[in-house]
Amino acid sequence: WQSELHKVILGYLVHHGYTSTAVQFATSTGLELNENVDSMRNRQEIQSLMLHGRISQAIKMVNELHPGLMESNKELMFRVLCRQFVEMISGYDKLEEDCENQRGKNCMNGVAMDTDEKISEEEVEDVPAPVNFDSNPGKVEKLLAFGRELQHIFTQLTQDCPNRQLQSLLQDSFSLLAYTDPRSSPVSYLLEPSQREPVAAGLNSAILKANGLPGKPALEFALGQSSQCLNLMLLHGVGAAAFANVKDLLKPSLHHKTLQ
């Protein structure tokens, strides 16, 4: 059973791109990685770009390493591009003057993205100011062009199957344009860094599936099953279930160290 437990742990490390830790764990337990190190590091870099708001760079990297991935998953592409639209407004994803019209790659409708620059330590620490709509009318025009393209993708995506969740996402994203200070608007929640996490996770899972790997680690399935079992025990009056809480077990300890 210890070998199976090690496989579950290793699968979790690989899934989330903890490359160095996964390599060391595999070496110490005698297990083999089910993904090569370069692929893991590429996913780790894509995740980092997504979580730092550099969506255009992440899109470019995905298209170079996994051609056709975005186009084959229209809903994922829509969510990623909506996130890019938000980050363009927040100032984390840059607007440039010129680009080639390549939908879904590194620009859309004449909107060029800052795709060749690396994230510096200063950029990670600094919080950029949102786009100033009054002093940057040209950038507003580019945002509107990007928005029209998003609307087009949404129409194609939902013409046979309406999706209120995607509609709400699009409307809230567009609403950011209505406020001089988006950070103090009713839809400012979209600018929170935590909003990047589900999009980054979805993209990571899609890349793993494209590589023939599970889109979700076995450990997360096990935790979900444990939670459901506890709920069923409580419904059937098993008192001992009241003393177990999966979420409490997952809380980091005082000695927790971030995995690298």
Side-chain angles (χ1 to χ4, degrees):
W1 65 268
Q2 191 173 38
S3 176
E4 293 302 314
L5 180 60
H6 287 163
K7 289 179 182 178
V8 170
I9 295 172
L10 183 60
Y12 179 86
L13 296 173
V14 170
H15 177 91
H16 290 286
Y18 298 128
T19 309
S20 298
T21 305
V23 170
Q24 293 176 16
F25 187 80
T27 301
S28 65
T29 57
L31 297 174
E32 291 186 7
L33 294 170
N34 60 357
E35 183 181 17
N36 68 65
V37 173
D38 287 341
S39 177
M40 288 176 61
R41 285 177 177 156
N42 286 333
R43 284 195 301 106
Q44 188 179 42
E45 185 173 350
I46 291 169
Q47 286 281 92
S48 177
L49 289 168
M50 291 290 296
L51 293 174
H52 286 103
R54 305 300 290 272
I55 313 301
S56 57
Q57 287 181 257
I59 291 173
K60 181 184 179 184
M61 193 169 178
V62 169
N63 284 319
E64 289 176 347
L65 297 172
H66 308 281
L69 175 67
M70 299 284 280
E71 289 77 8
S72 65
N73 191 330
K74 295 295 185 182
E75 182 172 335
L76 172 65
M77 182 174 74
F78 178 77
R79 290 182 181 277
V80 171
L81 292 176
C82 275
R83 191 66 231 168
Q84 184 179 2
F85 182 82
V86 171
E87 298 298 348
M88 288 159 62
I89 292 175
S90 73
Y92 280 97
D93 208 309
K94 307 295 183 183
L95 285 168
E96 302 295 340
E97 295 302 323
D98 301 305
C99 84
E100 298 176 0
N101 185 14
Q102 304 178 49
R103 181 195 302 177
K105 294 187 179 180
N106 64 335
C107 60
M108 293 172 58
N109 268 358
V111 180
M113 306 306 155
D114 183 9
T115 55
D116 296 320
E117 299 175 6
K118 295 291 185 180
I119 299 177
S120 66
E121 293 182 4
E122 291 77 10
E123 287 176 305
V124 171
E125 294 176 356
D126 292 345
V127 178
V131 172
N132 188 314
F133 299 141
D134 294 329
S135 62
N136 295 289
K139 290 185 177 181
V140 174
E141 286 300 320
K142 293 181 185 297
L143 279 167
L144 292 175
F146 196 106
R148 286 191 289 270
E149 188 69 17
L150 272 178
Q151 180 66 58
H152 176 71
I153 294 173
F154 172 77
T155 301
Q156 289 184 322
L157 187 61
T158 60
Q159 60 183 355
D160 297 323
C161 184
N163 188 315
R164 290 190 176 183
Q165 186 182 51
L166 295 184
Q167 183 179 19
S168 177
L169 173 62
L170 183 65
Q171 290 175 343
D172 284 359
S173 299
F174 283 173
S175 295
L176 289 169
L177 292 172
Y179 300 93
T180 304
D181 182 11
R183 295 192 191 282
S184 61
S185 70
V187 288
S188 61
Y189 76 94
L190 284 172
L191 301 174
E192 293 294 328
S194 60
Q195 294 294 312
R196 302 166 182 163
E197 294 174 8
V199 186
L203 181 56
N204 185 53
S205 292
I207 294 172
L208 284 164
K209 289 179 181 178
N211 290 340
L213 298 170
K216 189 174 182 180
L219 181 59
E220 292 184 13
F221 279 113
L223 290 172
Q225 184 179 21
S226 298
S227 296
Q228 288 301 314
C229 285
L230 286 172
N231 290 335
L232 288 173
M233 291 169 68
L234 289 170
L235 287 174
H236 287 81
V238 180
F243 297 97
N245 189 311
V246 175
K247 291 183 178 180
D248 286 344
L249 293 174
L250 296 178
K251 289 179 180 179
S253 68
L254 294 176
H255 302 290
H256 173 75
K257 294 182 180 179
T258 302
L259 295 174
Q260 299 295 328

